Amino acid sequence: MINQPTPWGTGLTVAGFVAAVTGVAVVVLGFGLIRVHPLLAVGLNVVAAGGLAPTLWGWRRTPVLRWFVLGTAVGVAGAWLTLLTLTALGAG
């Protein structure tokens, strides 16, 4: 197996795009669920993350898919922080 250089520019661009799309999707869906009931939002977010984690864990060593894994992880973490902030400020 030949070690090829890591395409940082392209990879981080893909990861950023995936993070933005994932983050917006989680915030929009989570914000809607918070309006129904905060515990429902927390429960469904935990179930979704727990169900997605094994698949992403397996992808982390695949050269192209690792950028999707990074973007998804950053997007979900950022979305959760955004939802916590919005909830703490009373926007929900």
Side-chain angles (χ1 to χ4, degrees):
M1 180 176 205
I2 299 172
N3 286 334
Q4 298 178 357
T6 303
W8 287 101
T10 305
L12 291 176
T13 302
V14 168
F17 180 75
V18 171
V21 170
T22 303
V24 168
V26 171
V27 167
V28 168
L29 293 172
F31 197 60
L33 289 172
I34 286 173
R35 290 182 177 183
V36 174
H37 198 284
L39 289 178
L40 178 65
V42 171
L44 288 178
N45 268 298
V46 168
V47 168
L52 190 59
T55 300
L56 293 178
W57 190 256
W59 286 357
R60 75 190 192 289
R61 300 244 186 240
T62 305
V64 174
L65 295 179
R66 64 182 166 196
W67 301 109
F68 288 93
V69 173
L70 175 63
T72 302
V74 169
V76 168
W80 285 357
L81 289 174
T82 302
L83 285 171
L84 285 173
T85 303
L86 288 173
T87 303
L89 294 173

